Amino acid sequence: MSYHRRAGDATFELNLAPFLDIIVSIVPMLLLSIAFVQIKMIEAPTPQVVTQDQVKAPPKPEATLTLHVSKKTGFQFEVDDSGKKQNTNVNNVTGQFDMDGLVTSAIAIKTKYPQITKLQLAPDSDIAFDDLVKIMDRVREKPQSQRAAASFTDKAVDAKAENRQLFPDIVFSSVGG
Amino acid sequence: MAARGMRKYLDRRASGNFKIQITSMVDMFIILLVFLLKSYSTSPVNITPNDKLRLPQSTSAVDPIDVLKIIVSKTAVFVEDSKVADIKGGHVDISSVDNTDPQFIRPLFEELDKKAQHAKDLAKVNETVQFDGKVLMQVDKDLPYAALQQILYTSMLAGYYDVKFAVMTKD
C-alpha cells in the first residue's frame, strides 16, 4: 500500500522552458552560418613567370601527356615519350563528348606510363568551364567501378592495394598562347 | 438568468489555470537543431546563390582555403569585392583588354598587382605572412575557356600562378 503511494508521488513534470530558451537562442545563430551548398576546390596551377636568372634547368621528364579538347573532334591524348609522339583519339559520340571513352583511354595510358602524374590540358577556346571541370574529374581519378579491376598486390606490405589516381596534377598548358 | 450564467462561466474560467504543452515544440526544435548543426559551415568560401554565378559540380573533396578570390560571373570580373572588368556574351569587354596583347586584361592586372604588392609589404614586416601566389577563382560554369584563359594569363603575370577553382560538391 505504502509502495503504491510512493510510486504515485514520484511522478513529476520536467520544466522544459529553460531548455527551450537555449535552443531558441542557438537556432538563429546556426541559421546565420548555414551552408546549403558545400564548396570544394580543384587545383590547377598555371606556369610561373620567372626572370632569366631564376631559370634552372629542370629534370627532363621521361614522358609528357597533353590532352587536347575540341567540340568538333573530341579528345586527343598526346604522349611525348622522349621525343617520340603517340596520339590517341577519342571521338565524339552523337555530337557529345565521349566521357567513358576518355576514361578508358586515360586508364590505358596510365597502365602504359605509370610514372606520368601530370596532364597538360589544352582545350579549344569555346569549351565551357563546366565541361573542363567534368574532364578534369574524369582524368584525375579512376571511376569507382574500375578501381577493383586495377588493384595490385603491394609487395612491401603484402596486401591488396589499388591505384585510384590517374593524372592528379592537371595544368592548363595553353595559358599565354 | 443569462447574466448569472455568464458570471458563472467567467468565474470558472478565471479560476482554471492551465499550462502550455511545450514538449512537442521542444521535439521540433531538436530536429531543427540537428539539421542546422549538420549544415553548419566554417568554410572560408561562402557563396550566395545567384543567377549570374553558377559554379560547376565536381567530385573533388579538397576543402577550400582562405586566399585572394577572383570572382568571374556571367557579367563581370571581380577581385574580392571590387569590379575590374565587364563580361559581355562570354567574352571580356574589349575596353578592358590591352591593345597590344589580346590575352592581357589591364584593370585585372593592376588590381592583382596592388594586392600582391600589399601582401609582399606585409610579408616584410610580418614573418607569418607570406606571398605564395595562391588565388581561388569562382568561375561561372558557362564561361568559355577563351575568357578564362585571359584571366589565368593576367593573374599569372601578376604573380598569382597557383590557381584553385571553387566547385560545388555533387552530394
Side-chain angles (χ1 to χ4, degrees), chain A residues 147-161:
Chain A
R147 279 180 197 167
S151 63
F152 61 94
T153 305
D154 190 338
K155 286 172 185 167
V157 290
D158 194 28
K160 204 81 173 162

Side-chain angles (χ1 to χ4, degrees), chain B residues 45 47 53 55 69-73 136-140 166:
Chain B
V45 184
I47 291 170
L53 179 64
L55 296 183
K69 292 175 194 76
I70 297 179
I71 298 150
V72 190
S73 74
L136 183 70
M137 291 193 184
Q138 296 172 24
V139 183
D140 185 78

Side-chain angles (χ1 to χ4, degrees), chain B:
Chain B
M1 184 71 182
R4 204 168 58 194
M6 176 59 92
R7 197 177 329 140
K8 227 180 194 178
Y9 166 73
L10 287 173
D11 286 348
R12 215 183 311 136
R13 209 181 137 197
S15 64
N17 53 1
F18 65 94
K19 265 188 176 177
I20 305 170
Q21 238 342 301
I22 58 169
T23 316
S24 18
M25 193 153 83
V26 170
D27 289 351
M28 186 195 75
F29 269 113
I30 286 174
I31 292 166
L32 189 65
L33 193 69
V34 170
F35 168 73
L36 289 175
L37 279 171
K38 213 175 162 286
S39 336
Y40 180 73
S41 167
T42 50
S43 167
V45 184
N46 286 315
I47 291 170
T48 315
N50 184 344
D51 273 351
K52 289 174 181 137
L53 179 64
R54 294 207 175 271
L55 296 183
Q57 287 193 326
S58 170
T59 53
S60 174
V62 185
D63 285 320
I65 50 170
D66 192 13
V67 288
L68 182 81
K69 292 175 194 76
I70 297 179
I71 298 150
V72 190
S73 74
K74 278 187 173 70
T75 55
V77 183
F78 299 85
V79 175
E80 298 286 2
D81 291 331
S82 52
K83 185 178 167 184
V84 289
D86 285 314
I87 291 184
K88 287 174 185 166
H91 299 281
V92 178
D93 191 32
I94 197 83
S95 62
S96 305
V97 178
D98 195 71
N99 292 330
T100 51
D101 186 355
Q103 293 284 304
F104 188 67
I105 308 165
R106 187 163 289 281
L108 175 63
F109 176 81
E110 283 165 3
E111 188 65 28
L112 288 175
D113 194 43
K114 212 192 296 175
K115 297 276 182 195
Q117 204 54 54
H118 179 67
K120 283 171 188 168
D121 289 345
L122 266 178
K124 280 179 193 165
V125 291
N126 188 349
E127 283 178 4
T128 56
V129 181
Q130 204 179 0
F131 176 71
D132 46 12
K134 284 180 183 166
V135 64
L136 183 70
M137 291 193 184
Q138 296 172 24
V139 183
D140 185 78
K141 66 178 190 176
D142 296 325
L143 192 85
Y145 181 64
L148 181 64
Q149 198 177 10
Q150 288 174 309
I151 293 158
L152 289 172
Y153 174 69
T154 309
S155 59
M156 179 185 80
L157 290 182
Y160 290 97
Y161 55 88
D162 195 354
V163 178
K164 290 140 195 336
F165 292 112
V167 289
M168 289 195 311
T169 51
K170 283 193 171 172
D171 305 327

Side-chain angles (χ1 to χ4, degrees), chain A:
Chain A
M1 180 68 181
S2 63
Y3 167 76
H4 282 293
R5 203 187 304 135
R6 269 210 310 276
D9 291 342
T11 57
F12 64 95
E13 205 172 305
L14 192 67
N15 187 10
L16 291 170
F19 184 59
L20 193 65
D21 286 350
I22 295 167
I23 293 177
V24 167
S25 309
I26 293 171
V27 165
M29 190 198 79
L30 288 174
L31 273 171
L32 287 175
S33 51
I34 193 167
F36 291 104
V37 179
Q38 289 290 326
I39 304 293
K40 298 287 174 188
M41 71 173 194
I42 298 175
E43 301 199 29
T46 54
Q48 190 177 355
V49 179
V50 289
T51 53
Q52 193 64 41
D53 56 331
Q54 285 177 298
V55 176
K56 290 177 198 162
K60 202 168 168 62
E62 286 177 20
T64 57
L65 176 65
T66 308
L67 174 62
H68 299 275
V69 185
S70 164
K71 266 188 180 173
K72 285 179 190 165
T73 55
F75 305 111
Q76 187 190 50
F77 282 102
E78 185 187 301
V79 183
D80 187 345
D81 188 2
S82 310
K84 194 176 143 194
K85 289 191 177 178
Q86 190 190 336
N87 291 342
T88 310
N89 292 316
V90 182
N91 295 326
N92 287 346
V93 177
T94 60
Q96 300 287 315
F97 287 130
D98 181 10
M99 292 295 188
D100 294 331
L102 174 76
V103 175
T104 310
S105 298
I107 291 172
I109 291 167
K110 184 70 182 179
T111 311
K112 197 172 176 188
Y113 301 96
Q115 78 279 10
I116 299 180
T117 56
K118 189 174 171 181
L119 181 134
Q120 296 177 19
L121 195 58
D124 281 358
S125 56
D126 58 344
I127 305 292
F129 180 57
D130 191 32
D131 289 330
L132 291 178
V133 170
K134 279 180 191 153
I135 293 162
M136 287 159 93
D137 279 351
R138 294 297 180 110
V139 295
R140 199 186 310 118
E141 272 187 5
K142 283 174 193 154
Q144 195 77 41
S145 57
Q146 299 195 33
R147 279 180 197 167
S151 63
F152 61 94
T153 305
D154 190 338
K155 286 172 185 167
V157 290
D158 194 28
K160 204 81 173 162
E162 62 175 36
N163 186 8
R164 56 194 283 183
Q165 302 261 315
L166 285 171
F167 308 105
D169 309 324
I170 300 169
V171 292
F172 285 99
S173 68
S174 51
V175 173

